[in-house]
Amino acid sequence: MLVSLLIIIYVTFVALGLPDSTLGSSFPAIADNLGVSADMAGYLSPIVSCGTILSSLFSAKLIARFKTQYVTSFSILLTALALLSFSFVQSDYVWAFYPIALVLGLGAGGVDAALNNYVALHYKAIHMNWLHCSWGVGASISPFIVGAFIDSGNDSAGWETGILTVSILLFAVTLLLFLTLPLWNRAQARKTKEEVEEESKAFSYRSLFTNPVFYLAMLGFFCYCAMENTTGLWLSTYLHQEKEIDTSLAATLASTFYLGITAGRFVCGPLSLKIREKNMIRIGELIALVGVLLTLMPFHSAFAITGFIVTGIGCAPIYPAIIRSTPYRFSKGASQKAMGLEMAIAYVGNLSVPPLFALTASLLGDNYAPLPYFTLALVLVMILCHEAINFRLKRRDEGLTEEERKEYLVTG
């Protein structure tokens, strides 16, 4: 595939990460400046997730009609318009944050499903890992951009300029995408006759819903996303309340979990050229399991901190490997439909389990000690799901014809 097109996809993945951290990093300043409750962010985040789930579910139909490049371009444009609108909200119109949050989620889901499937089908495994590492770069940059404009001495004013700056960057990426649409057309022209015929086949959702592997895959992906987001959201609180670490230091230490994921994906890129996806998932799960067990050690808090960093490193290869495994699990033709559902179930995990853990902690008297046990349970279920998938797919592969092996990308 075209190297220039790959560069555009990398830039788009960085852009995809920008809005994901903008809301969380800017809302303390928004709350101070507009005089709204800080917990409003807790209501906006689920709305963003609902928008993402909705667009993910419809992504396959939209991509089939309008092609990946157009869905990606318009989705990035939608996120840019949403952030632009965020920057103009005034204290008398704070209700506007809610519909804008829905639009932000609709844009994010379209990009996620479209690009993940395109890269899974057309590029090597190293790029899937590095592209998700690029997402982490975007998610890390956004808080710095917003923070640079906030004036803490003036009722936290300036957050509008910070969000506006992020939206301008997204508009710039949108313009780049529209200007480079001919690159996608050139890539389309290079497709083989077999690839074009494969894309033209009609694969119904019924073929997925009657496949036991589909349910195992969805549950495994749900557990991964729930584990990552629950740990990332509540780790700082856990370290402060259960390990008696200062709030500032706890927040800094919590960021090392995501640092482990980002650094791990960079390292996993070259490894994925030699190691098959199912084994990358296994390695990640084993490392994550070791990390969680370290957090349960009844010793110095350093064990817990180290354990969460190791868990983050374990998380690194799992998400990209699951995404790249989709065409192998469900066939090239059905992968876009499966990908849309995977993105939807990912955000269902993000939406449901972190609040469930918060409710559990509240019922236990604001006790966050169960966090490692929550993480352990999710890791174990994920391992069971993926091993069941491997067992079923091994039996399936043994009975495939040579033509079917090409359809399912079976290499050995």
Side-chain angles (χ1 to χ4, degrees):
M1 298 299 288
L2 296 170
V3 174
S4 50
L5 179 57
L6 181 60
I7 294 172
I8 299 302
I9 294 174
Y10 268 98
V11 172
T12 307
F13 260 86
V14 174
L16 184 59
L18 287 172
D20 283 6
S21 54
T22 300
L23 181 62
S25 60
S26 63
F27 214 82
I30 293 173
D32 286 346
N33 188 242
L34 300 185
V36 299
S37 175
D39 64 4
M40 187 178 182
Y43 301 107
L44 292 175
S45 182
I47 293 175
V48 175
S49 294
C50 286
T52 306
I53 292 168
L54 190 62
S55 59
S56 296
L57 290 174
F58 285 96
S59 61
K61 187 172 291 187
L62 289 171
I63 292 166
R65 182 169 182 179
F66 299 109
K67 303 300 181 186
T68 299
Q69 58 267 40
Y70 292 102
V71 172
T72 300
S73 301
F74 279 103
S75 295
I76 292 291
L77 176 61
L78 209 56
T79 60
L81 289 170
L83 288 183
L84 178 65
S85 301
F86 257 113
S87 70
F88 286 110
V89 174
Q90 301 296 315
S91 57
D92 293 336
Y93 301 97
V94 291
W95 56 265
F97 281 131
Y98 293 104
I100 295 171
L102 182 63
V103 174
L104 185 64
L106 289 172
V111 182
D112 232 353
L115 284 186
N116 274 310
N117 189 64
Y118 191 86
V119 174
L121 287 174
H122 300 296
Y123 289 102
K124 293 180 179 180
I126 186 173
H127 297 298
M128 185 63 78
N129 284 277
W130 283 357
L131 283 166
H132 284 276
C133 183
S134 298
W135 171 89
V137 171
S140 301
I141 290 173
S142 184
F144 286 103
I145 295 173
V146 174
F149 289 96
I150 294 174
D151 184 359
S152 58
N154 184 28
D155 295 326
S156 296
W159 61 267
E160 316 97 307
T161 308
I163 294 180
L164 178 63
T165 303
V166 176
S167 74
I168 290 172
L169 291 174
L170 287 170
F171 277 118
V173 174
T174 302
L175 179 60
L176 178 65
L177 285 168
F178 279 110
L179 290 176
T180 55
L181 285 174
L183 288 177
W184 296 85
N185 296 331
R186 285 170 59 190
Q188 183 75 22
R190 292 188 176 192
K191 289 184 178 180
T192 64
K193 180 181 177 181
E194 290 77 11
E195 287 176 324
V196 174
E197 289 176 351
E198 189 69 35
E199 288 182 354
S200 66
K201 292 180 181 178
F203 288 87
S204 68
Y205 283 106
R206 181 179 176 81
S207 65
L208 293 173
F209 296 154
T210 57
N211 185 353
V213 171
F214 170 76
Y215 297 99
L216 290 167
M218 294 302 111
L219 179 57
F221 201 41
F222 174 92
C223 288
Y224 169 78
C225 295
M227 174 191 69
E228 180 186 312
N229 283 274
T230 303
T231 303
L233 183 61
W234 296 111
L235 178 54
S236 178
T237 304
Y238 170 82
L239 292 175
H240 174 59
Q241 294 200 5
E242 302 304 322
K243 300 300 178 180
E244 300 180 347
I245 295 174
D246 175 76
T247 52
S248 177
L249 180 58
T252 301
L253 291 172
S255 68
T256 60
F257 173 71
Y258 285 109
L259 180 63
I261 295 176
T262 303
R265 283 178 181 165
F266 183 81
V267 173
C268 286
L271 294 177
S272 64
L273 295 175
K274 300 292 185 181
I275 304 173
R276 295 178 64 182
E277 281 77 22
K278 68 176 182 180
N279 290 326
M280 290 295 288
I281 294 172
R282 282 170 169 163
I283 291 170
E285 289 171 339
L286 179 60
I287 294 173
L289 181 60
V290 170
V292 175
L293 293 176
L294 278 174
T295 67
L296 293 170
M297 294 290 182
F299 303 121
H300 193 272
S301 58
F303 276 87
I305 297 165
T306 303
F308 282 114
I309 295 172
V310 173
T311 303
I313 294 171
C315 287
I318 298 175
Y319 189 105
I322 290 175
I323 294 298
R324 188 165 166 79
S325 296
T326 304
Y328 164 64
R329 290 174 173 178
F330 306 110
S331 83
K332 291 186 289 183
S335 65
Q336 186 62 74
K337 287 184 171 65
M339 192 72 70
L341 293 170
E342 282 179 336
M343 293 299 104
I345 203 70
Y347 281 91
V348 170
N350 298 348
L351 185 63
S352 59
V353 178
L356 177 62
F357 175 74
L359 177 61
T360 303
S362 177
L363 293 174
L364 294 174
D366 289 333
N367 181 2
Y368 291 85
L371 179 61
Y373 296 97
F374 245 69
T375 306
L376 177 62
L378 291 167
V379 171
L380 291 176
V381 174
M382 179 172 58
I383 290 172
L384 290 174
C385 287
H386 288 145
E387 288 309 310
I389 290 171
N390 292 335
F391 175 75
R392 285 181 172 274
L393 292 184
K394 182 179 179 181
R395 293 177 59 187
R396 180 204 69 183
D397 293 348
E398 291 172 352
L400 293 178
T401 65
E402 191 61 35
E403 192 63 30
E404 288 171 334
R405 292 175 71 85
K406 293 179 182 179
E407 181 182 334
Y408 285 97
L409 300 180
V410 179
T411 56

